[in-house]
Amino acid sequence: MKKLLLAVVLFVTTIASAQKGSVLLGGNVGFSSEKIGNTKAEDFEFSPKVGYQFTDNWTAGVEGSIVNSKITGFGKSETYKIGGFVRYSIPLSETFAFYTDLGAGYQNTSLNNAKGMYASLTPALFINVKRGFGLNFSIGGVNYDNLDGKNDPRQERFGFNFGKTFNFGISKNFDL
């Protein structure tokens, strides 16, 4: 875990010192709910990001996430994620931009102390409020998770959750 975090920090530092552009600071909060039979799962997520925009369209950086889950009949759990992301943005006007984030990294959940990897592809909309400060909106994406716990068999999940998840966030680009 420490080696992965150090490698990501060194990668971002190398990019930032080699390129001129802007630094992206942002974060999202999200909520998802799923019901299968009598079982209901609810997730609340906080996901901060910091990245370096090295062209008008490309940004690379570090992301993290804390997810609090509540599942009927199973109780509560927390999941922590740390990894990297790449963003491709397409400006639609001075006010609106469409972007897609591709993220991957390490995750750990409190449920049976399971550890594993994650990957996600999330399209979103950015609304520029004023001078690089804006609002982010997404309604899901495509994700992959694998977890291996102490007493449980290895779990692999592939999800397509458009319309099942709502994320709202803010971001700000700072010129260097």
Side-chain angles (χ1 to χ4, degrees):
M1 173 68 173
K2 291 178 185 178
K3 290 179 183 178
L4 175 66
L5 183 58
L6 180 61
V8 171
V9 170
L10 289 173
F11 173 72
V12 172
T13 305
T14 302
I15 290 173
S17 63
Q19 305 286 334
K20 291 185 179 182
S22 63
V23 173
L24 170 73
L25 293 178
N28 287 335
V29 292
F31 176 78
S32 66
S33 178
E34 184 176 21
K35 186 172 183 179
I36 301 172
N38 292 331
T39 303
K40 184 176 181 181
E42 293 180 339
D43 294 335
F44 179 76
E45 180 175 9
F46 172 66
S47 306
K49 291 184 179 199
V50 60
Y52 182 76
Q53 188 169 351
F54 53 93
T55 71
D56 288 339
N57 301 92
W58 288 98
T59 304
V62 179
E63 66 182 0
S65 178
I66 300 170
V67 181
N68 289 308
S69 300
K70 181 179 172 184
I71 302 172
T72 307
F74 291 99
K76 297 179 181 181
S77 70
E78 289 185 345
T79 302
Y80 302 95
K81 298 179 181 180
I82 182 85
F85 76 95
V86 176
R87 174 178 290 185
Y88 183 75
S89 302
I90 301 170
L92 303 174
S93 69
E94 277 189 33
T95 306
F96 296 100
F98 174 79
Y99 69 88
T100 300
D101 280 354
L102 174 63
Y106 170 82
Q107 65 181 339
N108 182 334
T109 182
S110 63
L111 192 62
N112 290 329
N113 197 24
K115 298 173 175 82
M117 303 300 284
Y118 75 91
S120 62
L121 181 69
T122 308
L125 180 67
F126 172 77
I127 300 173
N128 186 10
V129 177
K130 189 173 186 180
R131 292 188 221 134
F133 175 79
L135 303 174
N136 307 316
F137 297 95
S138 71
I139 58 168
V142 179
N143 54 49
Y144 170 79
D145 290 294
N146 73 45
L147 289 167
D148 196 5
K150 290 184 178 184
N151 299 322
D152 290 335
R154 181 178 174 87
Q155 302 173 33
E156 290 190 79
R157 285 184 286 246
F158 179 78
F160 186 80
N161 61 2
F162 285 103
K164 295 181 183 177
T165 302
F166 177 74
N167 286 298
F168 167 76
I170 59 172
S171 61
K172 170 72 175 141
N173 280 66
F174 294 95
D175 292 329
L176 294 178

